[in-house]
Each structure stands twice: as C-alpha cells, then as structure tokens.
Amino acid sequence: MMRRPRTVTAKAVKYEENENMDSDLSFSQIVSSDEDGEEWRPPEPKQKAPSKTPRAPGTGEKKTATKTNAKTKQPKVPKEPKVPRNPKPRAPRKPAVQRKTQGSKSSKDPAASGLAGINMEGGDEGKTQTGCSEEESTQNSGASIRMKEERVSFIVSESHPTDEWADEGSSQTGFRVKKEESADDDFTFDEPCLKKQKTRGICQGKSTVPPPSKNQSLRNDLNMNWDMIELLSTLTCVERWVCQNIIALLREENTVPFMVRYRKEMINHMDADAVRDVQMVYEELCSLAKKTQSVIQTLKKDGVLTTELEQNLRSCRSADELDHMYTPYKKGSKLTKARRAKALGLEEAASALMTTPHILDLRAWVKPGTEGLSSVEEVATGVEHILADLIAKDPETLTYVKTLCENSFVTLQSSVSKSALKEKEQEKSAQGQKKTGAEQNKSKDFDKFHLYFDFTCNIQRIQPHQTLAINRGESLKILTVKVNIPDRVKSEFTRWCINSRWRPKTFAREELHAIIRNAVDDSYKRLILPFLTRSYRTKLTSAAEKESIAMFVRNLRQRLLVCPVRGCVIMGVDPGFRHGCKLAILSPTSQILHTDVAYLHNSGQQREADKLRHLMIKYSCTKVVIGNGTACRETESFFADLISRRYFHPLDVSYCITNEAGASIYSVSPEAVKEMPDLDPNLRSAVSIGRRVQDPLAELVKIDPKHIGIGTYQHDVSAGALKAALDGVVEECVSFVGVDINICSEILMRHVAGLNAGRARSIAEWREQNGPFNNREQLKLVKGMGPKTYQQCAGFIRINPQTLNSVKFIPEPGQTVPEKPAAKRGKGKTGVNIPTSLNPLDQTCIHPESYHVAQRFLSLVGGSVDQIGSVSLQQCVESKVKASGIEELARSVDTTPETLKLIVDGLTQPPGFDIRQNFGQADFKRGIVSMSDLRVGAVLTGRVDNTALFGAFVDIGVGRSGLIHKSNITLDKLPASQRRRSLVLGPGERVEVRVLNVDVQRGRIGLDLIRVLQ
C-alpha cells in the first residue's frame, strides 16, 4: 500500500520539473522580507499533519517525512535522496513562506481600492497574475499536501540531472540560498550530460526558442509583470536566445572568462565586455525585483497596499519608477495631499467624477467644521489632489509624456551658484590676506569649472565627461543644474489628458471639467515635472558612469596585457631627491639580485656614477626602468648623459619610463611584507617598478586596480560598480593569459576564474607539502576544489613540462611524501583515483572536458599528443582543416565548430605560447628630448599613456604627455579593426602624431592623430 503513492509522487515531481508545474513557485515564496523572517523555520510544514510535539529540531526532516507517510499516505520520496547528501534543515522553509503568501493572496480583497476602475485603459495589466493565482488555489484545494511536497522537491533537488537550470553548487542569483559545493560529486567531464547536450543543441550561433517552462519559471521567480528575458534583450540589444543562455549559465555559477572561451556557441561569440554588460543589467533587474517584493511586503504590513498599487509596482522597469511609486508611502515622510484627501473619504468622489459625473454633487461631501471638507471649494481641492496623484502614477500617462519629451528639445543647463559667487567676491575683497591651504584648494576648484558657468546642451548630445564634471561641480556647490523641458510638452500633455486619457465617461458640468483641468496642471507641475527631471539626471549619470567604467576597463586591460620583457637583467629605479634613488637589480626570472640607494642629484655624482657602472657590469644589466614620479626627469637626464658618453661600455644600455602609480601603496601592503620581509618599503617600490616591465600582469594584479592610475572621474562613479568591473577584467586577463600553476604566486592564482583567496591558499599549501603538480587532475586533491570550481579554472591553468623539471621539491626534515594517488583521500575525496603521469594537453588552452575530442581529432589527422606545438603537427592539422573544413571535421569528432577551433589552436600553438606577444612592449631609449625642443607641425611617434572620455594622452618622450582631443580621433585615421570601439585608442598603443600647439607655461601639448602604428 505504501509503494503506489510513492510511485505517483515521483511522477508528479518529474512532471513538475519538466512540464511547467513550477509556475506557481513565485518570487514571494522564495524570498522572505525583513518583517516575516520568523517564518523561515523547519517545523512549519507540520501544520498539515498534527503531531504531539509541535517542534523537533533535533529530528530534522526524517521525522517529518515519517509522520506524513503514516497519516496522509503521501510519503516524501523526493527527500530520501537528500538523506545521504547532507540533509539541510532549510529545505522545508519554502512551503512555510508559500502558505503565508497564498494565505495573504486569498484574503486580499480584489476591490480594496475604490478607484480600481479609473485606470480605464491600463488596468488589465495584472489579470494574468490574478488568474494564475486562482488556478493554483483550485489545484491546491484537493491535494494541498501533494503539491507542497512537489514544491519542496523542486527547490531542494537543484543538482538533479534533469534540471538543466542547475548544476553542482548552482544558485539562483539574488534569490536562492547558495548551496555549498559538495566535494564528493563526480568530476567526470567525459560522460555526456544533459548540460552538454543542451550546449550542442543551442550551438552554431542559431536562434533557438527557449522552453516555455523555463521562461515561466523565471518569470514566477521574479514575480513581476514583465518578462525577464524579453526586457533584458530590449535593454542590452542582445538576441533573446542569447540572453536566455547567459541567464542559464550565470545561474549555474559560470564565470565570464569560462563562458567567453568555452561556451562561445551559447553566447553567440560575444566578448567579455558584452557578456559583463548583460550580467550587470540582469543583476540590476534581479535587484529591482527583490526591492519591489520588499516594498510590497512593507506596504502590505502598513495596510496601504491595494490591488492596483501592487500591479503598478510589479510593472516598474527601473529603480527610478519604483521610487516614484513608493515615495508617497514611505515611513517618516509627511502625508501627501492625495493621502490626506483619501483619509477624508474623497476617493469615492474622485471615482464618481471620472465614471458618473452627471450625478455627482460635491455638496454632499461638505461637512462644516471639518478641515478639508468645510466648503465645496475644499472638497474640490481634495478631489483635484487625488486625481493629480492618479495621473502622475498612471503608466500610460507617464509613457505618453516621456514620448513627448523624446521628440522635443530638452536641455541640461548649468550656471555658477550664488553661494560660489558670494565666496568669490569675499575672496577678492580679502586679496591681501594670507590664505589657508583649504581656501587655496577651493579657489582652484572654482576655476576648474569655468567652462560650465553658463552651459546649455541638448540632453541627447551631452558627453559623458560633461555630465560627470557638472555633477562634481554641483556636489561642491559651485554649480546649479536644472533640466529645461519646453512649454510645448505641457500644452500637448494637458490637451491629451483632458480630451483622451482622463476624459469623463459621461457628461460633466463645467465646474467639474475645471477640477479635471486643475488636476492635470497640478499633476504636471508638482509631480510629473520633478519626476522627469530626476529621471533625466539619473539616466545621464548612469550612462556617464557606464562609459567611464568602460574606459577604466579598457585602459586596465591594455595595461595588464603589455608584452613582458623577458630574458634580460633589469634595474628598477624609484627616483627621488632627498632620500636618493632606490635601486633594485632583478634577474630574468624576477628574483632580487641586489638592492641599493644612489644619490644622483646631490654632490658626489661621479662617485654614484661609478657605483652604477660597477653594478651594471657586475650583473650584466642592460635595461633600466625608471618610475615616473618625483625626480623622474632629472634621473632620466642623468642616465641619458651617461649613455651618450658610453659610460657603461661594453654594455649597450637603454632605459624606459614606466608608470609607478600604486607602487608606494603596494610596498607597505601585507602581500609585499610577506613577499619581501627583509626589505625596506622604499626598496620594495623599486622592485615593483622593475617587475612591471618584466611581467606587467603578474605585478599589477598585486595592486588594487583603482590605484594603477587609469581612467578619469574615478571618484565620481559608483565605487561598487567600478570595483566589480575592474576585478572582472583582472580575472579575464589572468585567465586568458593562463598561469603556470607550479611557479605562479598565490596572489596571481586568486584571480584565475573559479578561484579565490582561500582556494589559492589551499593550492599553494598542497604544492608546498606534496611538490609540483604533474597534471591538472591533481587539482581535484586540493581542499575545497569541488567539481564546479575545477570546471571553471582547469582550462586556464597550465602544467609546463619545462618549469616542472626546474622546480625541485625538498621535503622538510621528518616529512614523508605520500603517494600521489592516495594523497588527500580523506573527507570528501573518497574513491578519487588520480593519475600522476604527465599529460601534454595540460600545457594547452584545451579544457579537460574536451580531451577525448582532442584525442579523436589527433587520431583523425594522424598525430599524437607528444607532437603538440611541433611544425609537423601544424602542417598535418592545417592540411586536414583546409581539405575538409571545420564544420565537417566537428561533425566527424562529435563536437561544435567553436570547440574544435579551440582544440586546433591548442594543438598548433608552440610550447609556452603567450597571447601578450601580440601586444606592444615598453619603449626603451637612449636619448632625451625636452618640451622646449618641440615645434608646431613636428611629426613624432609616441605611446598612449592614458585615455579619458574627452581624448587620449600620449607620451612623446618630453616628460609631459600631450593630448589628442577626441575630435581629432576620426575613423579614417584608424585601422578597420579598431573602428568599432568607442574611443578606439587605449594605453600602450603606438601612434604617430603631429604637434598642434605647445603651452610651456601651463605645461600643455596639443596633438593631432596621424595614424595608429601596427
């Protein structure tokens, strides 16, 4: 008798997961608000099955399941697989919130608002949601326990193989409790799983129709009136099927570098920046849905939530719209005019004015002696306030007025503030007095904004750097800013409201028409105009911040991907006057050979020059790297003079200038102390400056990206968004370059996709205890390395045979080296049998999940893994690809063309291949040019030092960077490959420029771009 219900329940669960039974899993049932946190308790599901003990925390889920089997004949079969896999007491929390939500829904009065019928054309927006709820309650009335069990099984069985939305350790972004990665999950990539089948089904860059059950599930998770995928596609201008796949990949906790390299067919070959933009918008929409749910719960608790208000809140598509709806109901804010009128009972009169004005008599609401109702005029004013509030919150009305503004000449105007003018006048009157440092800085700030003292620009044409500058001037109270909307918008809006949208349904007397006209005017002036102004300012600031952050990202990427200078000894110099120039001589592998201090700018320069020559000859050092800080030009002149005199003969010495931003901050950081414990912080700066040229990526990842000196308006953009974007590009660069796991630093490992500080520390500890890694498979033995982490990071980690042979493992006294297969076979690693042999594929960019495909392809072309990177294998692969084509070969080895292209690259690239070799190196020189040597019209070559929203700064070797204004960066001067980028130039690019003007007094050089040097 117990077996039949068990089978039926299992089928129901399968039907729920595959056939859209999850549509009743709403966002409100998953996320709890602040006020009902006490509902998240395991004992709640026992309400359906009465028991003697109301609460049994120690027994957990097993006891609950047993009692249900005994009394309801509906055993909780879906929970049985969870018993051996760490049962969590959190699982029953979902039904508790579901019951509360359903109870609140059923008790809600559909006619809670007296004005539900006023929203004549836009009021049907929430019918789908209401209908869905009624249908669910009908289904649940007969078998409430069974449906409760099915919901639980859907939530807790996220790692079930048939659930394509989930994977090991997956979680729904922003909504679900993150599931810890289980260490005993299977690592196997070779066996075909449903996720890989899905990848193959969606590949080839073709549009595919997403399963309706998935769309419905996602919509119900958010519990909003808009479709996530459709809105995301509209906001990002990305195809629907691509948005669908990106959301699925993000929910499975895939990293952006992994998606861009190993899931190209699913994201339609988008680059990392484009995927990151979609991810950012997706997270914003998730945050909006979460905030909306919290607002609804708050309003429900306060007793002011109506059906119409809830539907309007769920229709909001931006945080600005949500704030506009919610602001009148916030606690602490004074009661709005409309709410005061509603409290007096005038809502019914306002409703009658729109629906049945022919029988409306305002005198019936007059109550002498009652404030707000003592006369017909006061009653009419109250009705106007209610109508004005309705007009300002009507979605159709807001859409119409926004359309009018889009077709009109809306401008942003800034002018100098009265307070700033007053302070300037006071400053002039006190010219003879001595100024403090703060007053001098304020005076400088005032002069910086002279361009915006009388500034007007069309909203659609204003530049991002202008928006950020105006915002900064406004925050310093130097500028006042306003948005000018033409009067034509108001007149057309008023005409449309009176004659169309807010026209009474029946005949209305003239005095009632006057109330409507006054309500429209009041709504526009008091509510809609401030909303439009806030909306425009928010949009402009948001767009400017995104552009500024994109500039930071592009600059940082090009700074990190500068080609390293390998195979030579380098001297790093941190210049200075009083404390001398700090020197650090580094070996070709960045080991510190010698540190010293030389006082090049004091008396005794000859003695210091002799010291330099002795060090250079002793260590055969031919490259000098000088930081661009204090005394940089003087130090450069000193070295240039020695080089011109052939003072270092027989060595051919050259030098370069590098950006030292962040070196001093890094020199006193805990990482620097741990890495160089015995060195003075000043000498650590010299080491960092030298290493920035030897291996820029490995050195710059040690420094917070915002301290590297890139971009502009750093302090005017969102700190959180900037940090997330910069951390993302660091992870992207480190992952795409790849790390040699046996020699890379722990700090560098942290930035590999899928790894973090804790996992990087575990890898370093394993390496110290057990010696170097022989293959990627041994990563599975590391503590905390679950299947999801291994999947994300494995393709970006290299096992280089050359460095493996050079790394010698010397165990500590008394330490015994365990057998590699048996290592870490303790908790969570039972049954893991790891080989210790070398795998040549581990030195390539090929992911372990594609090794079997690579082996099939090698067999097809007649090669072997021992030939990787050889000329013979390259010729075999090229001839085979040329003869058969990538698509045909991909079908023959049962993979996608994108995966096969990656395999071909991995097999044909030479050992030790570095993608940075295609990027520019630091420029070394032997002579010096001063700013006074420049002439207008002179043609020079230089390297882009930094880019801003208004142009690019170019180092032309005179100690001061020149500016190419964005107006001089035109498409005809650029290579075709760079014409799609927004400002097209980035740090490190070599350019040919013409000098337009030289202002020696202000230290400014104007340049014109001639061409970009390849």
Side-chain angles (χ1 to χ4, degrees):
M1 294 298 291
M2 295 297 289
R3 286 294 173 189
R4 291 182 66 84
R6 189 179 296 267
T7 307
V8 171
T9 307
K11 285 182 178 179
V13 172
K14 184 175 180 182
Y15 175 78
E16 177 195 7
E17 291 182 0
N18 295 337
E19 300 293 335
N20 198 21
M21 286 292 287
D22 54 346
S23 60
D24 58 343
L25 183 65
S26 66
F27 175 87
S28 61
Q29 294 163 339
I30 296 174
V31 179
S32 69
S33 65
D34 296 336
E35 28 310 346
D36 46 83
E38 67 274 4
E39 292 292 328
W40 292 80
R41 301 196 179 205
E44 286 294 318
K46 295 185 181 180
Q47 293 177 1
K48 292 289 181 181
S51 61
K52 295 180 182 179
T53 56
R55 195 179 293 252
T59 56
E61 299 174 22
K62 277 190 177 181
K63 210 173 253 191
T64 307
T66 307
K67 292 183 180 180
T68 307
N69 291 344
K71 300 206 171 187
T72 65
K73 308 275 184 173
Q74 294 288 345
K76 292 193 177 181
V77 175
K79 288 190 179 179
E80 289 185 3
K82 292 296 288 182
V83 174
R85 291 195 57 198
N86 241 351
K88 299 179 182 178
R90 293 181 153 218
R93 291 177 179 173
K94 317 295 185 191
V97 182
Q98 287 170 355
R99 281 199 305 276
K100 180 174 180 180
T101 309
Q102 290 175 350
S104 62
K105 281 186 179 180
S106 60
S107 62
K108 189 187 296 181
D109 184 8
S113 172
L115 295 173
I118 293 182
N119 199 355
M120 292 166 283
E121 297 177 17
D124 299 336
E125 207 165 358
K127 285 185 179 178
T128 307
Q129 296 278 335
T130 310
C132 191
S133 301
E134 290 173 358
E135 187 178 348
E136 288 167 13
S137 61
T138 306
Q139 292 175 353
N140 292 345
S141 60
S144 59
I145 298 177
R146 176 171 167 269
M147 289 304 297
K148 179 181 71 175
E149 305 252 342
E150 290 175 337
R151 288 182 194 135
V152 172
S153 69
F154 178 80
I155 295 168
V156 300
S157 59
E158 291 181 350
S159 60
H160 196 280
T162 58
D163 188 358
E164 298 179 28
W165 280 92
D167 196 34
E168 299 91 359
S170 66
S171 64
Q172 294 182 357
T173 306
F175 305 122
R176 299 199 178 192
V177 180
K178 183 175 180 181
K179 184 164 80 73
E180 290 298 323
E181 217 172 77
S182 177
D184 57 351
D185 283 343
D186 187 16
F187 283 89
T188 305
F189 289 108
D190 295 338
E191 296 179 7
C193 61
L194 286 186
K195 187 179 73 173
K196 286 175 69 176
Q197 290 173 1
K198 178 185 176 185
T199 301
R200 291 170 182 169
I202 296 179
C203 69
Q204 314 299 336
K206 296 177 182 177
S207 174
T208 58
V209 180
S213 61
K214 301 277 172 56
N215 284 352
Q216 189 64 30
S217 172
L218 182 60
R219 183 162 184 165
N220 288 342
D221 286 347
L222 296 174
N223 207 6
M224 300 293 283
N225 288 346
W226 36 260
D227 179 72
M228 164 65 86
I229 298 172
E230 183 178 347
L231 182 57
L232 187 63
S233 176
T234 303
L235 294 176
T236 58
C237 300
V238 176
E239 297 94 327
R240 275 183 60 96
W241 68 273
V242 179
C243 291
Q244 162 88 13
N245 292 341
I246 291 177
I247 291 176
L249 290 167
L250 290 174
R251 285 184 159 210
E252 294 168 4
E253 295 183 342
N254 291 287
T255 60
V256 172
F258 177 82
M259 293 158 59
V260 170
R261 176 168 284 183
Y262 299 112
R263 296 293 183 264
K264 289 181 181 179
E265 65 279 357
M266 294 185 70
I267 62 174
N268 202 19
H269 300 267
M270 291 168 62
D271 61 20
D273 287 339
V275 175
R276 208 175 287 113
D277 288 343
V278 175
Q279 180 186 19
M280 185 171 64
V281 176
Y282 170 63
E283 289 173 353
E284 287 174 359
L285 293 176
C286 291
S287 176
L288 173 65
K290 192 172 183 180
K291 185 177 179 182
T292 302
Q293 187 63 26
S294 176
V295 166
I296 289 173
Q297 293 290 342
T298 303
L299 295 178
K300 187 185 296 183
K301 185 178 180 181
D302 294 342
V304 295
L305 183 68
T306 63
T307 304
E308 185 184 9
L309 177 59
E310 181 176 359
Q311 293 305 318
N312 288 341
L313 289 171
R314 294 193 189 280
S315 300
C316 292
R317 300 190 172 205
S318 68
D320 203 41
E321 290 182 22
L322 182 64
D323 288 339
H324 178 66
M325 293 286 179
Y326 177 49
T327 298
Y329 303 97
K330 284 182 179 178
K331 286 183 178 179
S333 60
K334 62 181 182 180
L335 214 59
T336 62
K337 293 180 178 180
R339 290 182 67 184
R340 284 199 295 268
K342 289 178 181 178
L344 293 172
L346 294 177
E347 194 170 8
E348 187 179 345
S351 175
L353 176 59
M354 300 307 300
T355 54
T356 56
H358 60 288
I359 60 172
L360 176 64
D361 185 4
L362 294 180
R363 289 174 295 182
W365 274 268
V366 175
K367 293 182 181 178
T370 303
E371 185 179 357
L373 299 176
S374 58
S375 64
V376 175
E377 290 75 13
E378 289 187 356
V379 171
T381 302
V383 172
E384 287 175 9
H385 291 159
I386 293 175
L387 285 178
D389 184 67
L390 284 171
I391 293 169
K393 292 177 182 176
D394 176 48
E396 186 178 342
T397 302
L398 293 177
T399 301
Y400 181 80
V401 75
K402 286 178 183 177
T403 305
L404 286 177
C405 290
E406 287 173 4
N407 298 327
S408 303
F409 191 77
V410 181
T411 59
L412 184 73
Q413 179 181 349
S414 69
S415 57
V416 62
S417 66
K418 293 180 180 178
S419 60
L421 282 175
K422 188 176 180 181
E423 290 176 3
K424 193 69 175 175
E425 289 173 0
Q426 292 175 353
E427 185 183 323
K428 286 181 181 178
S429 61
Q431 277 183 346
Q433 301 175 5
K434 190 176 181 180
K435 298 179 184 178
T436 64
E439 289 174 345
Q440 289 178 350
N441 291 337
K442 202 162 191 179
S443 176
K444 290 179 182 177
D445 286 341
F446 185 88
D447 295 333
K448 285 179 183 176
F449 294 98
H450 71 277
L451 291 174
Y452 303 101
F453 285 170
D454 186 14
F455 176 85
T456 302
C457 185
N458 187 351
I459 285 289
Q460 297 175 351
R461 298 180 63 86
I462 191 168
Q463 300 299 312
H465 68 274
Q466 293 173 331
T467 300
L468 294 175
I470 289 171
N471 288 351
R472 184 188 292 182
E474 186 181 31
S475 65
L476 294 173
K477 298 184 179 178
I478 295 174
L479 301 176
T480 56
V481 188
K482 65 177 181 177
V483 176
N484 295 323
I485 298 177
D487 294 336
R488 183 179 67 85
V489 172
K490 179 183 177 182
S491 59
E492 290 190 16
F493 171 76
T494 303
R495 188 183 309 114
W496 177 79
C497 286
I498 294 174
N499 297 332
S500 177
R501 179 75 180 113
W502 299 94
R503 182 179 181 177
K505 289 186 175 180
T506 60
F507 172 76
R509 300 184 302 278
E510 179 57 33
E511 59 268 22
L512 298 183
H513 272 297
I515 292 176
I516 297 176
R517 283 196 299 272
N518 293 339
V520 171
D521 289 342
D522 180 49
S523 178
Y524 181 83
K525 182 179 179 181
R526 182 169 56 89
L527 300 173
I528 293 178
L529 200 57
F531 167 71
L532 292 174
T533 300
R534 289 194 306 270
S535 178
Y536 274 120
R537 293 293 304 277
T538 301
K539 286 179 181 177
L540 288 175
T541 302
S542 176
E545 285 187 357
K546 286 180 180 177
E547 186 64 28
S548 181
I549 290 173
M551 182 73 65
F552 270 96
V553 165
R554 186 163 61 246
N555 291 352
L556 178 61
R557 180 186 291 112
Q558 296 200 238
R559 188 69 61 82
L560 292 176
L561 294 180
V562 170
C563 183
V565 176
R566 302 189 187 278
C568 61
V569 178
I570 282 182
M571 174 185 285
V573 181
D574 184 7
F577 288 117
R578 185 175 177 183
H579 299 289
C581 297
K582 280 66 69 178
L583 312 175
I585 298 180
L586 306 175
S587 72
T589 57
S590 297
Q591 300 300 313
I592 303 172
L593 301 178
H594 181 79
T595 57
D596 210 331
V597 179
Y599 296 88
L600 306 181
H601 311 301
N602 300 336
S603 58
Q605 290 185 345
Q606 185 59 43
R607 184 181 66 252
E608 300 301 316
D610 291 340
K611 181 199 289 187
L612 286 176
R613 181 172 61 180
H614 170 72
L615 291 174
M616 303 282 277
I617 293 175
K618 178 182 178 181
Y619 295 102
S620 300
C621 179
T622 59
K623 306 288 185 187
V624 179
V625 181
I626 304 171
N628 66 344
T630 306
C632 167
R633 291 293 291 170
E634 291 76 10
T635 305
E636 179 188 10
S637 177
F638 186 86
F639 273 95
D641 180 59
L642 295 181
I643 292 171
S644 65
R645 288 159 40 196
R646 298 177 59 82
Y647 193 75
F648 301 112
H649 186 75
L651 297 178
D652 182 18
V653 177
S654 58
Y655 70 90
C656 77
I657 309 295
T658 191
N659 193 327
E660 67 171 33
S664 57
I665 295 175
Y666 165 70
S667 65
V668 294
S669 66
E671 289 84 2
V673 173
K674 182 179 178 181
E675 186 180 1
M676 298 172 276
D678 301 326
L679 277 188
D680 180 84
N682 293 318
L683 295 174
R684 291 180 195 145
S685 296
V687 173
S688 178
I689 288 170
R691 287 177 174 172
R692 289 183 184 208
V693 173
Q694 277 190 319
D695 192 345
L697 180 63
E699 188 62 25
L700 291 177
V701 295
K702 303 174 184 177
I703 302 164
D704 192 331
K706 65 185 179 184
H707 295 145
I708 296 179
I710 51 173
T712 52
Y713 297 100
Q714 173 175 314
H715 303 290
D716 297 294
V717 301
S718 168
L722 179 62
K723 185 178 186 309
L726 295 183
D727 289 346
V729 78
V730 170
E731 179 186 69
E732 169 199 333
C733 291
V734 172
S735 300
F736 287 168
V737 170
V739 298
D740 189 333
I741 196 68
N742 288 318
I743 62 172
C744 74
S745 65
E746 181 184 322
I747 298 175
L748 188 62
M749 269 192 286
R750 293 176 190 173
H751 299 284
V752 176
L755 299 184
N756 53 27
R759 289 164 185 158
R761 192 182 312 114
S762 298
I763 291 174
E765 290 172 356
W766 194 96
R767 194 170 59 187
E768 291 172 6
Q769 295 171 5
N770 303 282
F773 290 88
N774 290 331
N775 53 52
R776 286 171 172 168
E777 291 285 305
Q778 288 182 322
L779 286 168
K780 300 172 184 177
L781 300 174
V782 176
K783 177 185 175 183
M785 185 68 69
K788 194 67 184 180
T789 301
Y790 179 76
Q791 181 198 38
Q792 297 300 304
C793 73
F796 306 115
I797 286 175
R798 307 280 187 271
I799 309 291
N800 195 332
Q802 287 80 15
T803 58
L804 184 63
N805 296 331
S806 64
V807 177
K808 295 181 180 179
F809 172 57
I810 304 175
E812 297 177 4
Q815 180 183 356
T816 58
V817 184
E819 290 289 329
K820 293 281 177 78
K824 291 281 181 182
R825 282 188 124 210
K827 183 179 179 183
K829 305 291 182 182
T830 307
V832 178
N833 189 14
I834 304 299
T836 58
S837 58
L838 288 172
N839 187 342
L841 291 172
D842 288 341
Q843 61 182 311
T844 69
C845 60
I846 303 171
H847 197 280
E849 68 183 4
S850 303
Y851 279 2
H852 62 289
V853 179
Q855 294 284 5
R856 286 202 297 267
F857 180 72
L858 282 170
S859 301
L860 191 65
V861 300
S864 66
V865 292
D866 297 327
Q867 297 176 294
I868 287 176
S870 65
V871 177
S872 58
L873 183 62
Q874 288 180 19
Q875 293 172 348
C876 292
V877 170
E878 287 173 3
S879 60
K880 190 70 176 177
V881 170
K882 192 173 182 179
S884 303
I886 283 288
E887 287 77 10
E888 182 62 33
L889 288 173
R891 281 193 290 271
S892 63
V893 296
D894 190 25
T895 189
T896 63
E898 289 78 10
T899 302
L900 186 57
K901 288 176 185 176
L902 194 65
I903 290 173
V904 168
D905 289 341
L907 295 177
T908 56
Q909 287 167 351
F913 174 79
D914 193 334
I915 63 170
R916 293 175 292 175
Q917 67 190 30
N918 297 322
F919 293 82
Q921 261 187 354
D923 287 325
F924 286 88
K925 54 188 177 180
R926 294 172 179 81
I928 184 171
V929 180
S930 65
M931 192 169 173
S932 58
D933 296 330
L934 292 179
R935 295 291 179 267
V936 174
V939 176
L940 306 167
T941 60
R943 192 174 291 277
V944 177
D945 183 51
N946 195 7
T947 55
L949 296 171
F950 47 82
F953 292 95
V954 180
D955 180 8
I956 53 176
V958 297
R960 177 75 67 170
S961 294
L963 173 67
I964 308 176
H965 192 267
K966 63 184 299 183
S967 61
N968 294 322
I969 306 174
T970 55
L971 293 180
D972 58 310
K973 301 175 183 177
L974 302 166
S977 60
Q978 291 180 237
R979 293 178 183 177
R980 54 181 288 270
R981 290 170 14 192
S982 57
L983 229 174
V984 302
L985 293 178
E989 293 191 86
R990 296 186 68 242
V991 291
E992 189 175 50
V993 294
R994 180 183 291 107
V995 179
L996 295 179
N997 55 72
V998 181
D999 187 343
V1000 178
Q1001 185 177 0
R1002 301 173 71 188
R1004 294 187 176 182
I1005 305 168
L1007 302 174
D1008 181 22
L1009 177 66
I1010 297 177
R1011 62 193 176 102
V1012 178
L1013 301 175
Q1014 295 296 315

